[in-house]
PDB file of all heavy atoms in Angstrom:
ATOM      1  N   ASP A  54     -10.698  11.651 -11.357  1.00 98.00           N
ATOM      2  CA  ASP A  54     -11.152  13.033 -11.200  1.00 98.00           C
ATOM      3  C   ASP A  54     -11.717  13.200  -9.798  1.00 98.00           C
ATOM      4  O   ASP A  54     -12.645  12.473  -9.409  1.00 98.00           O
ATOM      5  CB  ASP A  54     -12.229  13.299 -12.266  1.00 98.00           C
ATOM      6  CG  ASP A  54     -12.544  14.773 -12.397  1.00 98.00           C
ATOM      7  OD1 ASP A  54     -12.595  15.466 -11.364  1.00 98.00           O
ATOM      8  OD2 ASP A  54     -12.745  15.231 -13.543  1.00 98.00           O
ATOM      9  N   LEU A  55     -11.196  14.133  -9.056  1.00 98.00           N
ATOM     10  CA  LEU A  55     -11.610  14.309  -7.659  1.00 98.00           C
ATOM     11  C   LEU A  55     -13.037  14.836  -7.541  1.00 98.00           C
ATOM     12  O   LEU A  55     -13.602  14.836  -6.452  1.00 98.00           O
ATOM     13  CB  LEU A  55     -10.639  15.246  -6.920  1.00 98.00           C
ATOM     14  CG  LEU A  55      -9.168  14.836  -6.917  1.00 98.00           C
ATOM     15  CD1 LEU A  55      -8.349  15.816  -6.086  1.00 98.00           C
ATOM     16  CD2 LEU A  55      -8.970  13.415  -6.409  1.00 98.00           C
ATOM     17  N   ARG A  56     -13.621  15.263  -8.653  1.00 98.00           N
ATOM     18  CA  ARG A  56     -15.037  15.637  -8.599  1.00 98.00           C
ATOM     19  C   ARG A  56     -15.905  14.391  -8.426  1.00 98.00           C
ATOM     20  O   ARG A  56     -17.083  14.500  -8.120  1.00 98.00           O
ATOM     21  CB  ARG A  56     -15.437  16.387  -9.881  1.00 98.00           C
ATOM     22  CG  ARG A  56     -14.819  17.772  -9.959  1.00 98.00           C
ATOM     23  CD  ARG A  56     -15.088  18.431 -11.284  1.00 98.00           C
ATOM     24  NE  ARG A  56     -14.485  17.673 -12.391  1.00 98.00           N
ATOM     25  CZ  ARG A  56     -14.566  18.006 -13.661  1.00 98.00           C
ATOM     26  NH1 ARG A  56     -15.232  19.084 -14.005  1.00 98.00           N
ATOM     27  NH2 ARG A  56     -13.981  17.271 -14.590  1.00 98.00           N
ATOM     28  N   PRO A  87     -15.940  30.701 -13.526  1.00 98.00           N
ATOM     29  CA  PRO A  87     -15.896  30.518 -12.062  1.00 98.00           C
ATOM     30  C   PRO A  87     -16.472  29.196 -11.578  1.00 98.00           C
ATOM     31  O   PRO A  87     -15.977  28.630 -10.598  1.00 98.00           O
ATOM     32  CB  PRO A  87     -16.703  31.714 -11.529  1.00 98.00           C
ATOM     33  CG  PRO A  87     -17.457  32.261 -12.684  1.00 98.00           C
ATOM     34  CD  PRO A  87     -16.704  31.892 -13.914  1.00 98.00           C
ATOM     35  N   ALA A  88     -17.513  28.688 -12.242  1.00 98.00           N
ATOM     36  CA  ALA A  88     -18.113  27.432 -11.765  1.00 98.00           C
ATOM     37  C   ALA A  88     -17.154  26.267 -11.957  1.00 98.00           C
ATOM     38  O   ALA A  88     -17.061  25.367 -11.111  1.00 98.00           O
ATOM     39  CB  ALA A  88     -19.427  27.169 -12.505  1.00 98.00           C
ATOM     40  N   GLU A  89     -16.407  26.302 -13.065  1.00 98.00           N
ATOM     41  CA  GLU A  89     -15.415  25.244 -13.324  1.00 98.00           C
ATOM     42  C   GLU A  89     -14.355  25.242 -12.223  1.00 98.00           C
ATOM     43  O   GLU A  89     -13.964  24.185 -11.711  1.00 98.00           O
ATOM     44  CB  GLU A  89     -14.772  25.492 -14.697  1.00 98.00           C
ATOM     45  CG  GLU A  89     -13.715  24.493 -15.070  1.00 98.00           C
ATOM     46  CD  GLU A  89     -12.820  24.961 -16.228  1.00 98.00           C
ATOM     47  OE1 GLU A  89     -12.351  26.114 -16.215  1.00 98.00           O
ATOM     48  OE2 GLU A  89     -12.583  24.157 -17.135  1.00 98.00           O
ATOM     49  N   THR A  90     -13.885  26.431 -11.850  1.00 98.00           N
ATOM     50  CA  THR A  90     -12.891  26.512 -10.777  1.00 98.00           C
ATOM     51  C   THR A  90     -13.484  26.023  -9.468  1.00 98.00           C
ATOM     52  O   THR A  90     -12.839  25.286  -8.712  1.00 98.00           O
ATOM     53  CB  THR A  90     -12.370  27.960 -10.652  1.00 98.00           C
ATOM     54  OG1 THR A  90     -11.594  28.249 -11.816  1.00 98.00           O
ATOM     55  CG2 THR A  90     -11.504  28.140  -9.418  1.00 98.00           C
ATOM     56  N   ASN A  91     -14.721  26.397  -9.188  1.00 98.00           N
ATOM     57  CA  ASN A  91     -15.354  25.941  -7.949  1.00 98.00           C
ATOM     58  C   ASN A  91     -15.465  24.412  -7.913  1.00 98.00           C
ATOM     59  O   ASN A  91     -15.142  23.777  -6.912  1.00 98.00           O
ATOM     60  CB  ASN A  91     -16.736  26.584  -7.811  1.00 98.00           C
ATOM     61  CG  ASN A  91     -17.299  26.412  -6.429  1.00 98.00           C
ATOM     62  OD1 ASN A  91     -16.940  27.141  -5.506  1.00 98.00           O
ATOM     63  ND2 ASN A  91     -18.150  25.408  -6.247  1.00 98.00           N
ATOM     64  N   ASP A  92     -15.891  23.822  -9.023  1.00 98.00           N
ATOM     65  CA  ASP A  92     -16.040  22.360  -9.059  1.00 98.00           C
ATOM     66  C   ASP A  92     -14.704  21.660  -8.818  1.00 98.00           C
ATOM     67  O   ASP A  92     -14.627  20.687  -8.089  1.00 98.00           O
ATOM     68  CB  ASP A  92     -16.554  21.903 -10.446  1.00 98.00           C
ATOM     69  CG  ASP A  92     -18.012  22.262 -10.647  1.00 98.00           C
ATOM     70  OD1 ASP A  92     -18.681  22.645  -9.671  1.00 98.00           O
ATOM     71  OD2 ASP A  92     -18.481  22.160 -11.805  1.00 98.00           O
ATOM     72  N   ASN A  93     -13.669  22.167  -9.471  1.00 98.00           N
ATOM     73  CA  ASN A  93     -12.380  21.468  -9.445  1.00 98.00           C
ATOM     74  C   ASN A  93     -11.523  21.838  -8.240  1.00 98.00           C
ATOM     75  O   ASN A  93     -10.527  21.154  -7.976  1.00 98.00           O
ATOM     76  CB  ASN A  93     -11.605  21.744 -10.736  1.00 98.00           C
ATOM     77  CG  ASN A  93     -12.177  20.978 -11.900  1.00 98.00           C
ATOM     78  OD1 ASN A  93     -11.958  19.785 -12.019  1.00 98.00           O
ATOM     79  ND2 ASN A  93     -12.968  21.650 -12.731  1.00 98.00           N
ATOM     80  N   CYS A  94     -11.867  22.902  -7.566  1.00 98.00           N
ATOM     81  CA  CYS A  94     -11.112  23.265  -6.362  1.00 98.00           C
ATOM     82  C   CYS A  94     -11.923  22.995  -5.103  1.00 98.00           C
ATOM     83  O   CYS A  94     -11.466  22.277  -4.213  1.00 98.00           O
ATOM     84  CB  CYS A  94     -10.668  24.727  -6.432  1.00 98.00           C
ATOM     85  SG  CYS A  94      -9.489  25.049  -7.756  1.00 98.00           S
ATOM     86  N   VAL A  95     -13.136  23.510  -5.028  1.00 98.00           N
ATOM     87  CA  VAL A  95     -13.904  23.373  -3.775  1.00 98.00           C
ATOM     88  C   VAL A  95     -14.552  21.995  -3.673  1.00 98.00           C
ATOM     89  O   VAL A  95     -14.303  21.248  -2.716  1.00 98.00           O
ATOM     90  CB  VAL A  95     -14.973  24.478  -3.655  1.00 98.00           C
ATOM     91  CG1 VAL A  95     -15.662  24.383  -2.301  1.00 98.00           C
ATOM     92  CG2 VAL A  95     -14.347  25.854  -3.837  1.00 98.00           C
ATOM     93  N   ASN A  96     -15.387  21.638  -4.650  1.00 98.00           N
ATOM     94  CA  ASN A  96     -16.076  20.347  -4.560  1.00 98.00           C
ATOM     95  C   ASN A  96     -15.078  19.198  -4.517  1.00 98.00           C
ATOM     96  O   ASN A  96     -15.241  18.244  -3.767  1.00 98.00           O
ATOM     97  CB  ASN A  96     -17.032  20.160  -5.745  1.00 98.00           C
ATOM     98  CG  ASN A  96     -18.136  21.204  -5.757  1.00 98.00           C
ATOM     99  OD1 ASN A  96     -18.316  21.926  -4.784  1.00 98.00           O
ATOM    100  ND2 ASN A  96     -18.858  21.292  -6.857  1.00 98.00           N
ATOM    101  N   ALA A  97     -14.055  19.300  -5.338  1.00 98.00           N
ATOM    102  CA  ALA A  97     -13.037  18.242  -5.382  1.00 98.00           C
ATOM    103  C   ALA A  97     -12.339  18.105  -4.029  1.00 98.00           C
ATOM    104  O   ALA A  97     -12.085  16.995  -3.555  1.00 98.00           O
ATOM    105  CB  ALA A  97     -12.015  18.563  -6.474  1.00 98.00           C
ATOM    106  N   THR A  98     -12.040  19.226  -3.402  1.00 98.00           N
ATOM    107  CA  THR A  98     -11.350  19.184  -2.108  1.00 98.00           C
ATOM    108  C   THR A  98     -12.239  18.567  -1.032  1.00 98.00           C
ATOM    109  O   THR A  98     -11.780  17.755  -0.222  1.00 98.00           O
ATOM    110  CB  THR A  98     -10.902  20.604  -1.714  1.00 98.00           C
ATOM    111  OG1 THR A  98      -9.937  21.042  -2.670  1.00 98.00           O
ATOM    112  CG2 THR A  98     -10.285  20.641  -0.328  1.00 98.00           C
ATOM    113  N   ASN A 100     -14.718  16.418  -1.530  1.00 98.00           N
ATOM    114  CA  ASN A 100     -14.785  14.975  -1.827  1.00 98.00           C
ATOM    115  C   ASN A 100     -13.544  14.254  -1.322  1.00 98.00           C
ATOM    116  O   ASN A 100     -13.624  13.164  -0.759  1.00 98.00           O
ATOM    117  CB  ASN A 100     -14.876  14.739  -3.345  1.00 98.00           C
ATOM    118  CG  ASN A 100     -16.227  15.111  -3.916  1.00 98.00           C
ATOM    119  OD1 ASN A 100     -17.205  15.229  -3.184  1.00 98.00           O
ATOM    120  ND2 ASN A 100     -16.274  15.296  -5.224  1.00 98.00           N
ATOM    121  N   ALA A 145     -12.029  30.095  -4.058  1.00 98.00           N
ATOM    122  CA  ALA A 145     -12.063  28.627  -4.086  1.00 98.00           C
ATOM    123  C   ALA A 145     -10.912  28.025  -3.273  1.00 98.00           C
ATOM    124  O   ALA A 145     -11.103  27.073  -2.507  1.00 98.00           O
ATOM    125  CB  ALA A 145     -12.005  28.135  -5.537  1.00 98.00           C
TER     126      ALA A 145
END
Side-chain angles (χ1 to χ4, degrees):
D54 193 321
L55 303 183
R56 290 173 298 179
E89 179 196 47
T90 291
N91 193 80
D92 288 348
N93 285 284
C94 295
V95 185
N96 297 348
T98 295
N100 287 342

